[in-house]
Amino acid sequence: MEFREIRCSRLRFVVGLVLCCTIIKEVSASIHEYRNEAFIPRSDGFFFHGGSEGLYASKVHDSSSSSSPDKPLQGKSFIRFEDVTFVRTKEAASKQNEMQQNTGLIEAIIFEVKDREKIGGAFLKLNAICCHPAVAQTGSCMLGEVIIQKDQDNPEWPKRIQTSFAGKNEETKMKPETVEINSTGMYYLYFMFCNPDLKGTLIKGRTVWKNPNGYLPGKMTPLMTFYGIMSLAYLALGLIWFLKFVQYWKDVIQLHYHITAVIALGMCETAVWYFEYANFNSTGLRPMGVTLWAVTSRTVKKTLSRLLLLVVSMGYGVVKPTLGGLTSRVVLLGLIYFIASEALELVEHLGNINDLSKKTELFLVLPVAFLDSCFIVWIFSSLSKTLEKLQMRRNMAKLDLYRKFTNSLAVFVLLSIAWIGFELYFNATDPLSELWQVAWIIPAFWTLLAYSLLVVICVLWAPSPNPTRYAYLEEAGEDFDEEGISLTSSVDMTTKLERKGLGEDLEEDKRE
């Protein structure tokens, strides 16, 4: 069961479920789209974040293919600029000399995150980003360009690609170029300019980022293999459960159908995610239909998993035949959780992979966290009541079953809390994603934890030839051993209950 799945590190810019359809017009991924977006002033320059991804080094090196974006680049890792165009204001263009060739310089700068201090004048003990006359006289940079300290071992890095406006032209277009990546790392792309006359300039076009084995971003690459393995694990669990289900189909209870549904949803979810990542890896785009199906299947499974934990904790099908008046509350909580979780998953997986502003990230994570807390409190309070009721009735077999379930659940909750703490620490100590190669374990842990808890429930509530071990019966009191009770008519059972003074408990269950 996915009991606690708050993934704080993977939140995206969102203002709510109502805005999802307007924000997500096109599903983008390793293809970073720029749609007439503005540059942001910073220090003495202007910049635009063009993307950031973990990239593995190319497996093959052939410079002849890098100049042609049309050729297949199998085994190569690269960043390719396609139709990147800069548009300055009419006012800025009118100020220029019509006969002048370079009337405004814009630079695309690619660097590894470990080399971030080489961008700007930090290595010169300056706060400036742009080269000023005093600095240019030292020979450290060219006037009007971004200050960059070249790598002594690789003078071409950080990579600088320059594009200039000509005369009074309002637009200028970058030449198509493919930058090959020969060193594994987290790469950032910034478009920057220093000329204040270019204020108000917009950027449009796109860049394509590719790893040697496909377009899947580096920190997501292991997840494709992981979901493939998990889909096989769910398939194995489903086969074992199906065999037990068929073997004792005459003795199954309603709870077994709920468990079957969760297993089936788990199989569907992991398989769809595997194919979604595989398609993403081969095309560089996330297909809207497949991703929507994957996101929705995950949300449905998460919701039903929590509801299953809740109704089991309430003793449904074991201590009481129905939930009574609590049914509407359980359904309402599940519906609200589905809506909140679906909104979070949609903007997380259908938006651009770039990390956007986190000022509004609490918009969706807080409701999900609050609802998860509600599930926790309700589950453990229900378990407490169920254990107390079983102890009063001296139903030792069921009491032992629920104690095992409570202990297992407590262990999983403690693991969840510990992992949340680790996740917060991980993100606090790695704000620039320098540990991107191991970041995949954060979401993978929750999927693995959910699967493990589902296995525990399947073991505890497995179909058996003696359903009285956990199935609801009109309890016969402490003088009757549950393991030996046979299915009798409700009239005979009610008579025995009245004889033992347990009729009130039965009526209480029915009222609930």
Side-chain angles (χ1 to χ4, degrees), residues 1-4 230 234 237 259 262-263 301 305-306 308-310 312-313 379-380 383 404-416 445-461:
M1 298 301 127
E2 291 175 308
F3 184 75
R4 187 80 171 163
M230 288 306 301
Y234 269 102
L237 178 62
I259 296 175
V262 173
I263 294 175
K301 197 201 80 169
S305 298
R306 285 156 174 75
L308 177 60
L309 281 175
L310 182 57
V312 167
S313 301
I379 285 171
F380 277 97
L383 276 173
K404 290 179 180 178
F405 174 66
T406 303
N407 293 336
S408 300
L409 195 58
V411 170
F412 281 98
V413 170
L414 291 176
L415 285 175
S416 299
F445 174 83
W446 296 113
T447 302
L448 190 60
L449 188 71
Y451 177 80
S452 301
L453 186 52
L454 181 58
V455 170
V456 170
I457 289 181
C458 289
V459 171
L460 292 178
W461 272 273

Side-chain angles (χ1 to χ4, degrees), residues 214-229:
Y215 292 96
L216 202 61
K219 64 181 179 181
M220 298 172 68
T221 299
L223 287 174
M224 183 172 69
T225 303
F226 172 76
Y227 278 114
I229 295 173

